[in-house]
Amino acid sequence: MKEVSDISPDVEVEPEARSGSWSGVLAMSLGAFALIASEFMPVSLLTPIAADLQISEGQAGQAISVSGAFAVLTSLFISSLTRGLDRKWLLLGLIGVMIVSGSVVSVAPNYLIFMLGRALIGVVIGGFWSMSAATVMRLVEEHHVPRALAILNGGNALATVIAAPAGSFLGGLIGWRGAFFCVVPVAVIVFLWQLVSLPSMTSGKTHASPNVFRLLKKPLVAVGMAGAGLFFMGQFSLFTYVRPFLEIVAHVNVSTLSFILLLIGVSGLVGTLLIGGLLKNSVYPVLIIIPFIMALLAVGLLCLGKSILMSAVILTIWGLFATSAPVGWWTWLARTLPNDAEAGGGLMVAVVQLAITMGATCGGILFDGSGYRATFGVSALILIAASLSALMANRIYKCGV
């Protein structure tokens, strides 16, 4: 998953467990980089994947869907299933699965094996993001936790900038299989680095209820989670199919495609750095306005997408808002559930991954059946629904329900 919340550890942490392992924090950050790169690599490689495996672009886009589906299942159950297991070895096991996933995908002889490899990365996504922040909070002293979480997010942001354009560039240079395999050596480095830098982190007494769905009984949480889900669904029903859109409609070549994807990533990084100042007083204006603007941008692509210049400009603005918006949703979570943020964080991971899965799936079906206009039009409608949900959540908040 591309976002990390400011959640509390999922286990009781003894004072001596905070070892000040900044090397471990950096290893976790590199792990986040490798994971985000693996998760969204298909976005920039849909066309060659589809051609090589003799499937449609919509079917290739389900590589995002299947990873999201397995991430949902993993995020909901990993804490209860691994209770009592040393978190160091659990994380190493997940990185090992990432290595296997990248290897399987890069040599997949058919669509079934390809999707199996993507399912494995979904397990890693759900497990890693469910415990990453809590793990980092056990590595450093309490007053250093904000800085450590910022470093962890740095790997996420850097992957957002690099993964898509690098995938497109490497795909043209060494093929889509080679592009996927390039993540494997990085994952091996992460495994070895975490092996030597992470201390033993035994799972102690848990304070979280195993039933995260109990939070949905609160109207504000239910409506807010719906808004978050609609936002990510609308975003990825469009963004998953950016490459075939640019190639079919704007007729861009590989180098131009890589440059546009780089612009999206860089603008997203800038947006992430700037959005904090807008969230100091209230998160709701940001949560309401951003999806509405993104809906307008989707319509702009429908009207002006045949121009390479206009597509590049619109998608650059899209990246500015799309990448920074999740920061607003995690801030909303921390302020809405300050005493139950761990359970809320697990629920948010599941909601986001399910939304990504549904968005990529619906977008692929529409793209194959009716073309990009239907895909982008539905994306705009979903994003407007996300804006209205955030508006409704704001009204519930003001009413104190």
Side-chain angles (χ1 to χ4, degrees):
M1 181 177 119
K2 293 184 0 180
E3 310 73 29
V4 179
S5 64
D6 187 16
I7 61 175
S8 58
D10 65 340
V11 294
E12 185 178 23
V13 181
E14 299 81 3
E16 59 269 24
R18 298 186 182 276
S19 58
S21 177
W22 287 103
S23 179
V25 173
L26 291 172
M28 291 288 292
S29 181
L30 183 60
F33 170 84
L35 185 56
I36 292 299
S38 297
E39 182 178 6
F40 296 111
M41 187 75 75
V43 170
S44 60
L45 296 168
L46 283 188
T47 303
I49 290 172
D52 188 28
L53 296 180
Q54 297 182 339
I55 56 177
S56 69
E57 283 86 355
Q59 288 176 307
Q62 305 315 313
I64 298 291
S65 304
V66 71
S67 63
F70 276 82
V72 170
L73 294 174
T74 305
S75 64
L76 289 176
F77 300 110
I78 191 169
S79 293
S80 59
L81 292 177
T82 61
R83 191 170 299 169
L85 182 64
D86 190 319
R87 269 25 191 174
K88 172 179 179 176
W89 296 105
L90 179 55
L91 283 168
L92 288 173
L94 289 170
I95 300 302
V97 174
M98 189 195 305
I99 295 170
V100 173
S101 170
S103 301
V104 169
V105 168
S106 64
V107 300
N110 53 52
Y111 185 55
L112 179 61
I113 302 300
F114 173 76
M115 293 297 276
L116 174 62
R118 293 300 299 173
L120 290 175
I121 201 64
V123 172
V124 184
I125 293 165
F128 184 92
W129 288 121
S130 293
M131 69 179 64
S132 58
T135 300
V136 166
M137 294 172 76
R138 300 185 71 181
L139 295 176
V140 299
E141 293 79 4
E142 186 173 359
H143 61 283
H144 285 314
V145 167
R147 179 185 176 193
L149 289 174
I151 293 174
L152 176 64
N153 276 305
N156 188 347
L158 184 61
T160 303
V161 174
I162 295 176
S168 176
F169 174 76
L170 291 172
L173 192 65
I174 58 178
W176 70 268
R177 296 177 184 273
F180 270 100
F181 189 78
C182 284
V183 181
V184 173
V186 179
V188 171
I189 293 172
V190 172
F191 182 91
L192 296 175
W193 194 352
Q194 290 188 358
L195 179 64
V196 299
S197 64
L198 292 182
S200 176
M201 294 177 286
T202 56
S203 178
K205 179 181 178 182
T206 179
H207 301 289
S209 168
N211 181 19
V212 300
F213 297 107
R214 61 185 168 80
L215 298 174
L216 295 177
K217 295 179 180 179
K218 301 177 181 179
L220 178 58
V221 175
V223 174
M225 289 291 179
L230 288 168
F231 170 79
F232 283 97
M233 183 179 177
Q235 176 186 353
F236 281 92
S237 63
L238 184 151
F239 187 66
T240 305
Y241 303 96
V242 160
R243 174 167 182 161
F245 163 76
L246 290 173
E247 291 178 331
I248 295 170
V249 179
H251 304 292
V252 302
N253 54 33
V254 173
S255 59
T256 303
L257 173 67
S258 299
F259 180 69
I260 292 175
L261 293 174
L262 178 62
L263 289 177
I264 295 172
V266 171
S267 66
L269 181 59
V270 172
T272 301
L273 295 174
L274 295 177
I275 195 172
L278 300 176
L279 299 170
K280 289 182 178 179
N281 297 322
S282 176
V283 298
Y284 289 103
V286 171
L287 301 181
I288 295 168
I289 293 172
I290 284 183
F292 183 77
I293 292 176
M294 290 173 62
L296 295 179
L297 294 173
V299 174
L301 287 174
L302 287 174
C303 299
L304 306 171
K306 293 182 179 180
S307 166
I308 296 177
L309 177 60
M310 292 307 301
S311 290
V313 171
I314 292 172
L315 287 171
T316 299
I317 300 172
W318 171 281
L320 181 72
F321 291 106
T323 306
S324 59
V327 179
W329 280 111
W330 285 118
T331 304
W332 168 83
L333 177 69
R335 294 179 183 177
T336 304
L337 297 169
N339 299 318
D340 214 351
E342 179 184 343
L347 182 60
M348 180 72 87
V349 171
V351 167
V352 168
Q353 290 299 326
L354 180 61
I356 291 174
T357 300
M358 294 177 63
T361 300
C362 294
I365 292 172
L366 290 170
F367 195 91
D368 286 344
S370 304
Y372 78 94
R373 290 188 178 277
T375 301
F376 288 15
V378 168
S379 171
L381 292 175
I382 296 172
L383 288 167
I384 290 174
S387 180
L388 293 175
S389 296
L391 179 62
M392 185 181 301
N394 187 29
R395 291 182 177 178
I396 295 173
Y397 171 74
K398 290 181 178 179
C399 293
V401 179

